[in-house]
Amino acid sequence: MGTSSAFGGQGGGTPLVPSWLGDDGAPPAAPDGTPPNVGPPDGSPADAPTDGAPPAAPPEPPSRPPIPPLADPARFSAARNNFSRFAGSGGSDRKSLGRAVSHYVGSSSGGARTAAARMGSARGAGSRLLGFLSDAVNRGATEALRALNLGALAGRPIEEIFLGLADYVCPDGGSIDEGIAREAFIETITDLAGAGITDLDGLTADQMQTVFELYATNAIEARLCNDIGAKTITLPSDSREAARVQAQLNDFIRRGVADALTTARAAAAALTPDRVLQFVGRIYEQAFGILQIMGEAEAEGA
C-alpha cells in the first residue's frame, strides 16, 4: 500500500481540502491570479514619496483565501472500521470493503468532487505524465524526451526512462501529498511489465491510457490508505493474506478508474496540452463517483 506505512492517518479535524493544497500541492495563487505585491526591486518602501510628493496611502492588505473550516473529527471512523474488518477477514468480507470505500468518498471526503480536489500533487503529476505520454504517442518517444532535455534516455529500457522522468512528473518536495504522488509513480513503474508495456517507442493510445490508469489507481489507493491511517488498521499477520487484501483494494479502485477513462475516451483522443490538467481532475472526480456507487453496490451484496 505504498506510502500508507509512512503515515498514521489524517487528523479528523483536518480541513477536507487544506488551503495550501493546489493542483500540485503548492500554495494557491491570489484569487485574481496576480502575484503578491512585494515592493520595488531596489528594496525601497513601496509608499516612499518621490520628488516631494506626499506619501502614498498605505497599501491594502493582500486578499487571501479564507481558512477552510475544520471537518468532523470522526469523519474517517466508518471508513477505517470497515476497512479493518475487510483486512481482518483476509479479503473475504467484500461488503466491508464496499462500505469502507463508499464511506471514504461520501462521508470522509465530502463527495467525489472534494475527494478529487484532495488529490493535490497527484493531479499535477498525473497531468505531466499524461502530457508526456500524449507527446510520445504523437511525435515519438525520442522527440518527447528531447522536449524535456532528457534525450539521452532515448532507446533505454522503459523502466529506466520512467525513473529518469520521476523528477519531472513528481518533484520530491517532502510533503505527504507530494510523497503520495511520487510513490504512486514509482509503483506504476513496477506495474509496467505486468501490463505488457515494455517499449516506449511505438507507444499506442491504448497503452497510454493503461499507464495513466495504473498511475491514477496507485495514487487513489495511496491517498485513501494515508487518509484512513494504515497504522490504525489491523492487517492480517499472514503475508499472503495481506497481499490479497492489497490486491483486492487495488483491483477495486482500478475498475473505477478504468470506467471513468472509458467514458472519457473521446476527450482523451483530442487532448491538448492546455486541457490536460482539467482532464485529469475530471477523471479523478468521475472515478471517485464511480467508486462510491461500486462501494454501495458491494455493501448491499449486489
Side-chain angles (χ1 to χ4, degrees):
M1 296 182 184
T3 57
S4 58
S5 61
F7 182 47
Q10 287 280 353
T14 304
L16 287 176
V17 182
S19 59
W20 47 263
L21 190 63
D23 288 332
D24 284 303
D32 61 358
T34 58
N37 182 5
V38 295
D42 62 0
S44 60
D47 56 354
T50 57
D51 299 330
E60 292 291 329
S63 176
R64 302 185 184 278
I67 298 175
L70 294 181
D72 179 1
R75 73 184 192 274
F76 292 115
S77 297
R80 181 177 296 129
N81 292 339
N82 277 288
F83 193 82
S84 286
R85 282 192 285 272
F86 166 66
S89 74
S92 62
D93 188 354
R94 298 282 300 184
K95 289 188 176 182
S96 289
L97 171 61
R99 293 189 191 100
V101 174
S102 62
H103 277 298
Y104 173 76
V105 178
S107 303
S108 303
S109 301
R113 177 171 295 182
T114 309
R118 286 177 58 79
M119 294 306 293
S121 292
R123 285 192 295 165
S127 68
R128 286 186 289 274
L129 173 60
L130 190 57
F132 168 77
L133 295 173
S134 178
D135 194 20
V137 168
N138 293 326
R139 298 197 300 147
T142 299
E143 291 303 316
L145 288 167
R146 284 176 179 167
L148 301 178
N149 294 321
L150 295 173
L153 292 173
R156 306 298 299 171
I158 192 168
E159 291 84 1
E160 187 175 330
I161 293 174
F162 271 62
L163 284 172
L165 285 167
D167 287 338
Y168 164 73
V169 172
C170 43
D172 189 2
S175 72
I176 291 169
D177 183 60
E178 290 161 332
I180 286 173
R182 194 173 185 88
E183 181 66 18
F185 184 68
I186 298 302
E187 292 201 12
T188 299
I189 297 174
T190 66
D191 293 338
L192 292 175
I197 301 173
T198 58
D199 186 6
L200 195 61
D201 292 308
L203 187 75
T204 67
D206 285 343
Q207 288 176 325
M208 175 184 74
Q209 177 171 313
T210 297
V211 175
F212 178 72
E213 181 182 304
L214 291 169
Y215 177 76
T217 297
N218 289 330
I220 290 174
E221 179 187 354
R223 177 82 267 175
L224 184 152
C225 289
N226 273 272
D227 278 348
I228 65 178
K231 290 183 180 178
T232 60
I233 291 173
T234 303
L235 294 172
S237 57
D238 185 286
S239 60
R240 289 171 297 181
E241 287 190 359
R244 185 162 58 247
V245 166
Q246 180 178 359
Q248 288 196 41
L249 174 62
N250 186 273
D251 178 70
F252 191 89
I253 294 173
R254 186 171 177 182
R255 284 192 286 137
V257 173
D259 286 351
L261 282 167
T262 297
T263 61
R265 181 175 291 273
L271 207 57
T272 57
D274 59 325
R275 296 181 179 177
V276 173
L277 184 60
Q278 181 182 13
F279 174 83
V280 169
R282 187 164 64 250
I283 291 298
Y284 277 126
E285 182 176 343
Q286 291 175 346
F288 276 115
I290 292 170
L291 286 171
Q292 183 175 8
I293 294 171
M294 288 171 54
E296 292 168 352
E298 194 80 54
E300 295 171 359

